[in-house]
Short mmCIF file of all heavy atoms in Angstrom, two decimals:
data_model
loop_
_atom_site.label_atom_id
_atom_site.label_comp_id
_atom_site.label_asym_id
_atom_site.label_seq_id
_atom_site.Cartn_x
_atom_site.Cartn_y
_atom_site.Cartn_z
N PHE W 47 -50.09 160.30 23.55
CA PHE W 47 -51.20 160.84 24.32
C PHE W 47 -52.31 161.14 23.31
O PHE W 47 -52.02 161.67 22.22
CB PHE W 47 -50.74 162.15 24.99
CG PHE W 47 -51.29 162.41 26.36
CD1 PHE W 47 -50.71 163.40 27.17
CD2 PHE W 47 -52.38 161.72 26.86
CE1 PHE W 47 -51.19 163.67 28.46
CE2 PHE W 47 -52.87 161.98 28.15
CZ PHE W 47 -52.27 162.96 28.94
N HIS W 49 -55.93 163.16 23.11
CA HIS W 49 -56.99 163.99 23.69
C HIS W 49 -58.13 164.05 22.71
O HIS W 49 -58.01 164.63 21.62
CB HIS W 49 -56.47 165.40 23.99
CG HIS W 49 -55.78 165.52 25.30
ND1 HIS W 49 -54.55 164.98 25.55
CD2 HIS W 49 -56.19 166.10 26.49
CE1 HIS W 49 -54.20 165.24 26.81
NE2 HIS W 49 -55.17 165.91 27.39
N GLU W 70 -59.44 171.85 24.27
CA GLU W 70 -60.24 171.06 25.21
C GLU W 70 -60.71 171.88 26.41
O GLU W 70 -61.52 171.39 27.20
CB GLU W 70 -59.43 169.83 25.66
CG GLU W 70 -58.33 170.07 26.67
CD GLU W 70 -57.08 170.73 26.09
OE1 GLU W 70 -57.05 170.99 24.86
OE2 GLU W 70 -56.14 171.01 26.85
N TRP W 71 -60.23 173.12 26.51
CA TRP W 71 -60.64 174.00 27.63
C TRP W 71 -61.76 174.95 27.22
O TRP W 71 -62.07 175.90 27.94
CB TRP W 71 -59.42 174.79 28.14
CG TRP W 71 -58.68 174.05 29.21
CD1 TRP W 71 -57.92 172.93 29.05
CD2 TRP W 71 -58.65 174.35 30.61
NE1 TRP W 71 -57.40 172.52 30.26
CE2 TRP W 71 -57.84 173.38 31.24
CE3 TRP W 71 -59.23 175.34 31.41
CZ2 TRP W 71 -57.59 173.37 32.61
CZ3 TRP W 71 -58.98 175.33 32.78
CH2 TRP W 71 -58.17 174.35 33.36
N HIS W 118 -62.30 163.87 29.94
CA HIS W 118 -61.50 165.08 30.23
C HIS W 118 -62.29 165.97 31.18
O HIS W 118 -63.30 165.54 31.75
CB HIS W 118 -61.10 165.79 28.92
CG HIS W 118 -59.91 166.67 29.10
ND1 HIS W 118 -60.02 168.05 29.26
CD2 HIS W 118 -58.58 166.40 29.20
CE1 HIS W 118 -58.81 168.55 29.44
NE2 HIS W 118 -57.91 167.57 29.42
N HIS W 119 -61.83 167.22 31.36
CA HIS W 119 -62.47 168.09 32.35
C HIS W 119 -63.95 168.34 32.03
O HIS W 119 -64.71 168.74 32.90
CB HIS W 119 -61.75 169.45 32.43
CG HIS W 119 -60.26 169.36 32.63
ND1 HIS W 119 -59.65 168.32 33.29
CD2 HIS W 119 -59.25 170.22 32.27
CE1 HIS W 119 -58.34 168.53 33.31
NE2 HIS W 119 -58.07 169.67 32.69
N TYR W 161 -56.19 158.14 30.73
CA TYR W 161 -56.25 159.46 31.37
C TYR W 161 -57.64 159.60 31.96
O TYR W 161 -58.63 159.21 31.33
CB TYR W 161 -56.01 160.54 30.30
CG TYR W 161 -56.29 161.97 30.73
CD1 TYR W 161 -55.25 162.87 30.97
CD2 TYR W 161 -57.60 162.45 30.85
CE1 TYR W 161 -55.50 164.19 31.34
CE2 TYR W 161 -57.86 163.77 31.22
CZ TYR W 161 -56.81 164.62 31.46
OH TYR W 161 -57.05 165.93 31.83
N TRP W 214 -53.88 157.74 34.51
CA TRP W 214 -53.22 159.04 34.39
C TRP W 214 -54.22 160.11 34.84
O TRP W 214 -55.03 160.61 34.04
CB TRP W 214 -52.84 159.26 32.93
CG TRP W 214 -51.63 160.08 32.64
CD1 TRP W 214 -50.43 159.62 32.20
CD2 TRP W 214 -51.51 161.52 32.68
NE1 TRP W 214 -49.57 160.67 32.01
CE2 TRP W 214 -50.19 161.85 32.28
CE3 TRP W 214 -52.38 162.56 33.03
CZ2 TRP W 214 -49.73 163.16 32.21
CZ3 TRP W 214 -51.91 163.88 32.97
CH2 TRP W 214 -50.60 164.15 32.57
N ASP W 216 -55.66 163.75 36.32
CA ASP W 216 -55.40 165.17 36.03
C ASP W 216 -56.52 165.98 36.70
O ASP W 216 -57.51 165.41 37.15
CB ASP W 216 -55.39 165.39 34.51
CG ASP W 216 -54.71 166.71 34.10
OD1 ASP W 216 -54.08 167.36 34.96
OD2 ASP W 216 -54.82 167.08 32.91
N TRP W 219 -56.05 169.93 41.05
CA TRP W 219 -55.56 171.11 41.78
C TRP W 219 -56.64 171.93 42.48
O TRP W 219 -56.33 172.81 43.25
CB TRP W 219 -54.77 172.01 40.82
CG TRP W 219 -55.55 172.44 39.61
CD1 TRP W 219 -56.45 173.46 39.54
CD2 TRP W 219 -55.51 171.85 38.31
NE1 TRP W 219 -56.97 173.54 38.29
CE2 TRP W 219 -56.41 172.57 37.50
CE3 TRP W 219 -54.79 170.79 37.75
CZ2 TRP W 219 -56.63 172.25 36.15
CZ3 TRP W 219 -55.01 170.49 36.41
CH2 TRP W 219 -55.90 171.21 35.62
N ARG W 247 -50.62 162.83 39.78
CA ARG W 247 -51.73 163.79 39.87
C ARG W 247 -52.95 163.20 40.59
O ARG W 247 -53.99 163.86 40.68
CB ARG W 247 -52.11 164.29 38.48
CG ARG W 247 -50.95 165.00 37.81
CD ARG W 247 -51.33 165.67 36.52
NE ARG W 247 -50.11 166.17 35.86
CZ ARG W 247 -50.12 166.98 34.82
NH1 ARG W 247 -51.27 167.36 34.30
NH2 ARG W 247 -48.99 167.40 34.30
N ARG W 252 -47.89 167.60 43.33
CA ARG W 252 -47.28 168.12 42.10
C ARG W 252 -46.89 169.59 42.27
O ARG W 252 -47.67 170.41 42.72
CB ARG W 252 -48.25 167.97 40.93
CG ARG W 252 -47.83 168.63 39.65
CD ARG W 252 -48.58 168.09 38.48
NE ARG W 252 -49.97 168.50 38.43
CZ ARG W 252 -50.49 169.28 37.47
NH1 ARG W 252 -49.72 169.73 36.50
NH2 ARG W 252 -51.77 169.58 37.47
N GLY W 254 -46.68 172.39 40.36
CA GLY W 254 -47.05 173.14 39.16
C GLY W 254 -46.76 172.37 37.89
O GLY W 254 -46.76 171.15 37.87
N MET W 255 -46.49 173.12 36.81
CA MET W 255 -46.28 172.48 35.51
C MET W 255 -44.96 171.70 35.46
O MET W 255 -44.77 170.85 34.59
CB MET W 255 -46.33 173.52 34.39
CG MET W 255 -47.64 174.27 34.32
SD MET W 255 -49.01 173.23 33.78
CE MET W 255 -48.96 173.52 32.02
N GLU W 272 -45.35 168.90 32.54
CA GLU W 272 -46.26 169.18 31.42
C GLU W 272 -45.69 170.30 30.57
O GLU W 272 -45.41 171.38 31.09
CB GLU W 272 -47.65 169.55 31.97
CG GLU W 272 -48.65 169.90 30.88
CD GLU W 272 -50.10 169.96 31.38
OE1 GLU W 272 -50.44 169.23 32.34
OE2 GLU W 272 -50.89 170.73 30.82
N CYS W 288 -45.18 165.16 29.31
CA CYS W 288 -46.23 165.15 28.28
C CYS W 288 -46.17 166.47 27.53
O CYS W 288 -45.87 167.51 28.12
CB CYS W 288 -47.60 164.89 28.88
SG CYS W 288 -48.16 166.09 30.10
N TRP W 295 -54.09 170.53 23.16
CA TRP W 295 -54.20 169.07 23.35
C TRP W 295 -55.36 168.55 22.51
O TRP W 295 -55.20 167.66 21.70
CB TRP W 295 -54.40 168.74 24.83
CG TRP W 295 -53.30 169.26 25.69
CD1 TRP W 295 -53.22 170.49 26.27
CD2 TRP W 295 -52.10 168.57 26.07
NE1 TRP W 295 -52.04 170.60 27.00
CE2 TRP W 295 -51.35 169.44 26.89
CE3 TRP W 295 -51.59 167.29 25.82
CZ2 TRP W 295 -50.12 169.08 27.45
CZ3 TRP W 295 -50.38 166.92 26.37
CH2 TRP W 295 -49.65 167.80 27.17
O1 H79 K 501 -55.14 167.48 29.49
C1 H79 K 501 -54.20 168.47 29.16
C2 H79 K 501 -54.65 169.83 29.58
O2 H79 K 501 -56.00 170.10 29.20
C3 H79 K 501 -54.51 169.74 31.06
N1 H79 K 501 -53.42 168.83 31.29
C4 H79 K 501 -52.97 168.34 30.01
C5 H79 K 501 -52.40 166.95 30.10
C6 H79 K 501 -54.30 171.03 31.66
N2 H79 K 501 -55.05 171.42 32.58
N3 H79 K 501 -54.65 172.60 32.98
N4 H79 K 501 -53.66 172.96 32.30
C7 H79 K 501 -53.39 172.01 31.44
C8 H79 K 501 -53.02 174.19 32.59
C9 H79 K 501 -53.46 174.57 33.95
C10 H79 K 501 -52.62 175.09 34.81
C11 H79 K 501 -53.07 175.49 36.11
FE1 H79 K 501 -52.15 174.95 37.78
C12 H79 K 501 -54.00 174.88 36.95
C13 H79 K 501 -52.59 176.65 36.73
C14 H79 K 501 -53.18 176.70 38.03
C15 H79 K 501 -54.05 175.61 38.15
C16 H79 K 501 -51.16 173.22 37.49
C17 H79 K 501 -51.68 173.24 38.78
C18 H79 K 501 -50.28 174.31 37.38
C19 H79 K 501 -50.30 174.96 38.59
C20 H79 K 501 -51.15 174.32 39.45
#
Side-chain angles (χ1 to χ4, degrees):
F47 216 165
H49 276 72
E70 76 285 359
W71 271 71
H118 202 260
H119 308 331
Y161 169 106
W214 210 106
D216 197 10
W219 56 82
R247 299 188 188 191
R252 172 162 72 115
M255 301 291 268
E272 178 167 330
C288 60
W295 302 89

